[in-house]
Amino acid sequence: QVQLVESGGGLVQTGGSLRLSCVVSTTTFTINGMGWYRQGPKQRELVATITSGGRTNYADSVKGRFTISRDNAKNTVYLQMNSLKPEDTAVYYCNAYRTAWDKRYDYWGQGTQVTVSS
């Protein structure tokens, strides 16, 4: 099985910074990609993703402010969030996925609340 444990959420003022971490535990599978999604008043949306090779992808709304990185040896993915805005307020979910036989399997963390006060 695959387990994801997130940490690092909290309350911060506009313009502040937070760093989210997510440790992915698995003894069975090879994780291909990892990332962060968030859910505010609207549907869950992609924030940033990173492949096992280090290729990154960001939502337009966070480009230049957020940085995703991963430590493959520790199976950990990070999200450094700078210049935070009230509209970044959401529950942030860590995601990890693997692929097998052209099928994708997604795994999710429990979510961590990020609140940005104005």
Side-chain angles (χ1 to χ4, degrees):
Q1 270 293 359
V2 181
Q3 292 183 324
L4 287 73
V5 179
E6 301 143 338
S7 61
L11 173 65
V12 65
Q13 291 185 332
T14 297
S17 298
L18 282 174
R19 189 192 196 208
L20 305 182
S21 300
C22 175
V23 179
V24 181
S25 300
T26 176
T27 57
T28 309
F29 303 117
T30 298
I31 298 299
N32 298 110
M34 303 171 77
W36 294 91
Y37 292 69
R38 66 187 180 188
Q39 185 159 15
K42 302 178 181 179
Q43 65 184 13
R44 189 176 295 189
E45 61 177 1
L46 179 148
V47 176
T49 60
I50 186 167
T51 66
S52 57
R55 186 174 64 209
T56 59
N57 180 50
Y58 294 93
D60 288 341
S61 59
V62 306
K63 283 181 181 176
R65 300 188 298 123
F66 291 10
T67 302
I68 189 170
S69 61
R70 66 186 284 177
D71 185 332
N72 288 332
K74 296 181 179 179
N75 249 8
T76 301
V77 62
Y78 307 95
L79 185 68
Q80 178 66 44
M81 304 185 293
N82 299 327
S83 302
L84 282 161
K85 305 175 181 179
E87 50 263 44
D88 295 317
T89 295
V91 177
Y92 284 69
Y93 294 91
C94 178
N95 168 267
Y97 73 87
R98 63 180 181 93
T99 57
W101 298 103
D102 293 328
K103 188 174 180 180
R104 171 171 166 153
Y105 298 85
D106 284 276
Y107 304 91
W108 297 92
Q110 78 282 3
T112 184
Q113 178 71 45
V114 171
T115 302
V116 184
S117 62
S118 57

